[in-house]
Amino acid sequence: MPRTFSVIYIHTIWAVKNREPLLTKNIRHKLFDHILKVSRDKGFYIDFINGIEDHVHCLISLTPKYSLSKTIKDIKGASSQWIKEKSTKRQSGKESKVHHQNMSLGTEINRLEKTQ
């Protein structure tokens, strides 16, 4: 019996809230590297990732083994977590966890950019 190969290519696009131009070139490339690492660790393959200041494009090769919703959740969750972690590590550590959780993505990225 011949083996079957199945793959679905998914082109995803997600934007920064209110399409604010917050993903500067420096942050974008580091973020893309992190997203690619997470995808390898999780076992799915990102064929292409790119974007500009206000949105990200990602082409994913999805096999039947992975659900689309879980894959997107993993990617978006990892990217958001990475920005929050980098922003917090670069600060003096004076902020409380509650304060940090109440910041918008724009505020997080601005803090991260200032420390680069």
Side-chain angles (χ1 to χ4, degrees):
M1 178 183 238
R3 293 189 176 202
T4 304
F5 176 77
S6 298
V7 66
I8 299 171
Y9 291 98
I10 307 293
H11 177 206
T12 61
I13 304 168
W14 61 92
V16 175
K17 186 175 182 180
N18 299 323
R19 300 290 289 218
E20 293 181 63
L22 300 173
L23 298 174
T24 62
K25 194 175 207 175
N26 186 32
I27 291 174
R28 256 194 331 264
H29 292 291
K30 291 176 184 177
L31 178 61
F32 296 164
D33 288 343
H34 178 72
I35 291 171
L36 290 169
K37 180 188 178 307
V38 167
S39 72
R40 284 190 301 272
D41 293 347
K42 298 276 185 179
F44 53 86
Y45 185 74
I46 295 179
D47 293 278
F48 183 79
I49 186 167
N50 205 350
I52 59 172
E53 291 85 2
D54 66 350
H55 69 277
V56 174
H57 291 260
C58 194
L59 181 64
I60 306 166
S61 298
L62 200 59
T63 62
K65 179 178 174 181
Y66 301 101
S67 74
L68 177 59
S69 60
K70 173 84 168 87
T71 303
I72 300 302
K73 180 182 175 185
D74 288 345
I75 294 170
K76 289 182 72 177
S79 62
S80 178
Q81 186 65 33
W82 180 85
I83 289 171
K84 289 179 182 180
E85 285 175 5
K86 293 297 179 186
S87 176
T88 301
K89 285 180 184 177
R90 299 218 185 255
Q91 298 301 314
S92 63
K94 295 178 184 173
E95 302 86 7
S96 70
K97 187 174 183 181
V98 173
H99 174 72
H100 173 72
Q101 289 174 341
N102 291 329
M103 284 188 274
S104 70
L105 178 62
T107 303
E108 295 282 355
I109 291 174
N110 287 334
R111 289 175 61 204
L112 180 58
E113 186 65 24
K114 288 178 186 176
T115 61
Q116 295 291 314

